[in-house]
Each structure stands twice: as C-alpha cells, then as structure tokens.
Amino acid sequence: MNRPVTNPRSTLHALIPFGVGTADVESLLSYFCRLAVSHGVSTLILSRTIAQHFGHSIAANFDWHERQIAGIRESALTWSAALSALTSVQNLDNLTFLPWRDVISQNGLSIFKRGQFCSHCFAEDVACERQPYFRLAWESTEVTCCPVHRKPLSCDCPSCGKNNVRHTAAVVVPGWCTHCGGFLGDTTKSKNLEEVEPASIWRARQIGELLASQDNLAVRPNRSQFIGAITQIVSKAHGGMAAPFSRRIGIAKSTVHHWLKEGGTPSLEISLKIAAHYGVSLKQLFTGELPQWQPPVLNEQLAFELLSSNQTPRNAPRTIDWTSIEEKLVAFLSLPTPISVLEAARRLDMEARQLYLRANKTTRQLGERWKNYLKRKQEAKVVAAWPYLEHACLEIWGEGKTVTRREIFKRVPKEILSPVPNLLNVLKDVQEHLQQSEPMAKRELVA
Ligand SMILES: [Zn+2]
Ligand SMILES: [Zn+2]
C-alpha cells in the first residue's frame, strides 16, 4: 500500500516475448528462464521472488518446473499474472494454453515434462541472431514433431546424449544443455533422422494454428460455442445420434452425453480426434466456427488411416484455396529474412512446381528476392575479407613472391577466408584493384 504510485518502473526487466501471434509463440517457462538469465539469478531465486511478491511462502523442496506454468491450470494463471505484474509486460497468459481453458478439460492437456525441443528451431534462432527460446507448442505431449522442419522433437542433448536437459536446473539458458553446456541446436550432431508421420505434422499444425490465433481472439473460446459445434457435427453427420459419433471417436456414449447435457469438456487429444474424423480444424471446433460445414463422406477406413498409418494424405485430391495461397506468398515477400521458393512451398505444404504454375508472378518475385539475398550475403563476405586480402597481397608482393592460395592462407585467418566464394577470382580482383590504384609502387615491388 505504501509503494510510490508515481513510479511506473517495473521490478523485473520488461523482456519482449518472442513469436507472439505466430505458431512459434514462446512458452511462459522459456520467458521465465530468460528473465532469470537477464537478471543474473538462478531460476530458484526468481521463483522465490515471484512467490514472495504474491505473499506465498515457499516450501523448502519447492520445484518450479513441476508447476506446469505454461499449461491451463491455476499455476499458469498465477505465474503469468505475477510475471505480467512484475515486468509490466501485458498479456503474458498468451504464453500459456490458458486462452483455451474453457474448451479443454482440467486434466485434458498433458504437458511434456522432460522438455522437448527442435534442434533446427534453435539453430534458426541463432542464425537469425535471436536468443534461442522454447516454443509453447513443445509443452504439449500432442506435439511430437516440428511442423516447420518436419523433424521429431527431442529431449536428448546432441552433445552429451543426456535426457531432460532443457530446463530442469537452477541455471537455465534456453538453447543450451543444462548438463554439459552444449548447444541443443547443434544439428550436425543431432541423431534425429527418422521421418515424421503426416498425422503428427497435422496435429502439430492444428495446435500451431490455435497458438497463432490466441493473441487476437475476438472472444475467448468458451464451452458453449464448442459444445454447439459438437452438437452440430452429431446432428449433421449422424442425425443427432450420439452412438455412431462415440464409436467413431472411440469413447463411451455416456461420455458424449455428459458433454452435451451436463457439462465437462473433452481432452485435447479427443478434440484432435474429432477434428480429424469430421474434417474441421481444431480451431474451428473450439471456437464453434462451422457455418459452412458439411459432413465429409463417412469412410471409416480413411479417417482411421489419417490418424494411424504412414500413408501420406496427399493421395487424396485436395481443393486448394489459391486466393489464400497468394496472400501467404505475398506475406512471405515481406519477411525480414527472405525465403526460397522451395521453403515457401514447404511451409504451404505444396510443391514448388504448383506455385510456379498457379501463382507465377509472386513465386518468381520470391525466387528473385532469394537470389538477390544470397548474392548480397556472398558480397558481404567478400567485402569483409577484402581489406585482409589487400594487406596480404601487398605483404606477399613485398617479399617478392607471387600471390597464391597457399601464401594467402598463411596470412589470413581461416574464418575470414572460408566463407569467400571463388577465392581465386576474388584474389585476381584484389590484385587488379591494387595495381590500378597504385600502379608504380606495385610494379616496383613485383619487379
Ligand atoms: Zn523446428
Ligand atoms: Zn549435454
């Protein structure tokens, strides 16, 4: 009560969360770990500070990573509110699954406790000069792969091979092994060679879509919309009969009755099954947005295969919304780091050829932008190496020798030389340039 109200400065650093509004949104657990690093304290000390701020006393064996702070339970609410209060950064509950609290049953979100991650995402963070961070999607056990890199998530350190090394420690620097300190994004050492099943990618994408939307939901998803959607499905697909619906999903009829009449909501796992079997997205199901929905032609076999076999769903003809594809391509054009057409195709789950065929202009623009980007990147490497090369050439000439690769490698550090493409051509340019700028001096030296 006696705090000075005129001082709006936050107690803790106001770190900006990563990836808000995208499927790659940061998890609150990651935010918490970064905050501890930012203040140079252990996670235990930071968790004590937070608890004290809220007047909670903390047990001696208090273990913050048992709290599931990015889930849908009370602890997620307490921690996100506390962190928002102390950092002055609003809406930190969007770094948790809380926005879906009314449509996922209390015990219906299982959290992956040993800390899974995608090495390629960490590697990309570093390549983009961003601090590596844990994605909220990785917290759910329903997400077993990275839909961007199409690799299974892992919880083993690529350097020391130990398990559960992502965040269970007193000092956690997201992206580095808590056991050996090795970089968890070291993709050269990562043993994850197995291909992921299309069904896992589908599940990861559905959850990604939820997380991407949770920052700008007009209305918080609520149970009545969700149950409305299930009622609509049961009525349109099965004439209102719960029995065939429950058979398809593989649950008891009484459970369906319970949701529809008395209350209660399915687990995330069951909701994903409903979405897959009835051809709606998880987000549509949760938000009750099914205005145009028509039941798919019911083929038990097909729906079953989608969830449990290795067959790619690509075999089925697919209607493509080219207006939306075009919009996405245009959005790719303004990404800060350009992407290749192949990468764009991968993100849209299409073939590059199709993009060239049906969205030609934008696709070519993407291709052009990528080429220029590569060129600029290479030029930048040459520009960085240029002064070293000039200096080395003059020195070699000074010793009366000819400029050769070997002589250059003796004088210029490898880190400078190895990224330079076509080193011999560049060396020719350097020497020509030197001769033109100071022809007399150089000729004397050469002679
Ligand atoms: Zn990834
Ligand atoms: Zn390690």
Side-chain angles (χ1 to χ4, degrees):
M1 282 302 124
N2 49 13
R3 284 166 161 265
V5 281
T6 46
N7 183 359
R9 278 180 51 194
S10 60
T11 314
L12 298 173
H13 297 159
L15 299 186
I16 305 297
F18 290 122
V20 171
T22 73
D24 277 334
V25 58
E26 182 171 20
S27 84
L28 191 69
L29 190 138
S30 168
Y31 188 84
F32 168 75
C33 293
R34 288 202 295 123
L35 204 54
V37 173
S38 167
H39 284 274
V41 298
S42 72
T43 46
L44 186 64
I45 289 183
L46 182 58
S47 61
R48 288 216 166 113
T49 312
I50 291 165
Q52 272 157 13
H53 182 85
F54 278 79
H56 293 303
S57 57
I58 254 186
N61 59 354
F62 177 82
D63 202 354
W64 65 270
H65 34 78
E66 291 295 315
R67 302 286 124 171
Q68 307 203 359
I69 63 177
I72 50 171
R73 299 214 183 132
E74 281 306 300
S75 52
L77 197 55
T78 313
W79 281 66
S80 54
L83 285 168
S84 268
L86 294 170
T87 57
S88 80
V89 177
Q90 284 201 97
N91 303 330
L92 288 179
D93 53 337
N94 282 338
L95 309 188
T96 72
F97 280 88
L98 282 170
W100 310 95
R101 198 183 191 193
D102 285 349
V103 291
I104 300 177
S105 60
Q106 185 55 204
N107 296 318
L109 172 79
S110 50
I111 296 286
F112 195 99
K113 290 193 189 128
R114 282 173 302 138
Q116 45 176 4
F117 56 88
C118 167
S119 295
H120 295 263
C121 283
F122 282 150
E124 208 166 282
D125 287 339
V126 169
C128 296
E129 295 178 354
R130 159 177 76 210
Q131 224 178 321
Y133 68 98
F134 312 144
R135 275 65 173 167
L136 175 55
W138 299 345
E139 306 297 329
S140 163
T141 53
E142 291 303 320
V143 178
T144 54
C145 70
C146 169
V148 178
H149 299 106
R150 290 175 172 260
K151 296 278 180 222
L153 298 181
S154 162
C155 44
D156 301 334
C157 168
S159 297
C160 70
K162 275 228 184 308
N163 190 276
N164 195 11
V165 290
R166 195 192 73 169
H167 66 265
T168 38
V171 177
V172 183
V173 183
W176 278 268
C177 173
T178 54
H179 179 73
C180 74
F183 182 39
L184 298 177
D186 188 345
T187 53
T188 57
K189 287 187 194 152
S190 130
K191 283 175 243 128
N192 260 337
L193 297 172
E194 37 177 315
E195 274 300 304
V196 293
E197 289 181 15
S200 331
I201 294 187
W202 181 84
R203 277 197 300 270
R205 290 227 168 106
Q206 296 303 309
I207 291 175
E209 193 194 6
L210 289 190
L211 303 185
S213 71
Q214 64 188 24
D215 190 48
N216 54 14
L217 288 165
V219 193
R220 275 231 156 168
N222 57 64
R223 194 182 161 274
S224 67
Q225 288 168 334
F226 176 36
I227 296 300
I230 295 184
T231 311
Q232 199 183 334
I233 288 172
V234 174
S235 109
K236 276 193 184 170
H238 303 292
M241 292 193 302
F245 174 81
S246 55
R247 256 202 316 276
R248 254 179 104 70
I249 305 303
I251 43 169
K253 203 173 95 182
S254 56
T255 310
V256 180
H257 274 297
H258 175 69
W259 299 336
L260 299 183
K261 305 269 183 269
E262 290 156 51
T265 36
S267 66
L268 181 61
E269 185 193 354
I270 297 290
S271 292
L272 278 163
K273 271 195 187 171
I274 300 176
H277 279 266
Y278 291 91
V280 295
S281 76
L282 186 62
K283 191 189 157 209
Q284 285 175 315
L285 188 67
F286 278 167
T287 52
E289 287 161 6
L290 303 175
Q292 310 286 324
W293 182 77
Q294 286 303 322
V297 182
L298 291 187
N299 177 337
E300 300 283 340
Q301 204 54 38
L302 245 177
F304 180 72
E305 277 170 3
L306 176 67
L307 278 177
S308 50
S309 88
N310 290 329
Q311 247 178 336
T312 72
R314 282 234 182 144
N315 301 343
R318 161 177 163 211
T319 346
I320 294 165
D321 178 357
W322 283 103
T323 324
S324 124
I325 295 277
E326 178 70 35
E327 278 167 13
K328 285 177 188 150
L329 286 173
V330 170
F332 288 158
L333 274 177
S334 47
L335 285 176
T337 312
I339 58 170
S340 67
V341 172
L342 269 182
E343 172 59 21
R346 205 168 55 78
R347 289 191 191 180
L348 297 171
D349 196 17
M350 316 241 339
E351 275 191 66
R353 289 181 298 188
Q354 286 176 302
L355 293 182
Y356 275 117
L357 280 173
R358 303 271 175 268
N360 188 279
K361 192 173 155 222
T362 323
T363 306
R364 280 188 299 110
Q365 283 173 337
L366 264 176
E368 202 52 34
R369 190 165 178 248
W370 175 246
K371 255 202 306 206
N372 288 336
Y373 168 70
L374 285 186
K375 217 170 112 196
R376 275 202 314 276
K377 242 172 96 171
Q378 293 205 331
E379 277 165 6
K381 300 273 157 60
V382 176
V383 169
W386 194 274
Y388 290 89
L389 296 176
E390 273 194 353
H391 185 79
C393 284
L394 288 174
E395 214 175 88
I396 297 167
W397 285 345
E399 291 172 15
K401 294 182 189 158
T402 316
V403 173
T404 59
R405 240 181 111 81
R406 218 175 121 205
E407 292 295 332
I408 290 290
F409 267 90
K410 274 196 229 161
R411 291 169 173 84
V412 183
K414 220 172 129 210
E415 313 83 85
I416 304 282
L417 288 177
S418 42
V420 174
N422 302 322
L423 180 63
L424 286 180
N425 287 344
V426 176
L427 277 174
K428 236 200 229 155
D429 290 347
V430 171
Q431 294 179 81
E432 262 168 36
H433 174 80
L434 281 175
Q435 280 167 343
Q436 277 161 16
S437 51
E438 290 169 85
M440 287 320 290
K442 297 301 125 14
R443 246 173 246 137
E444 272 161 34
L445 278 172
V446 175

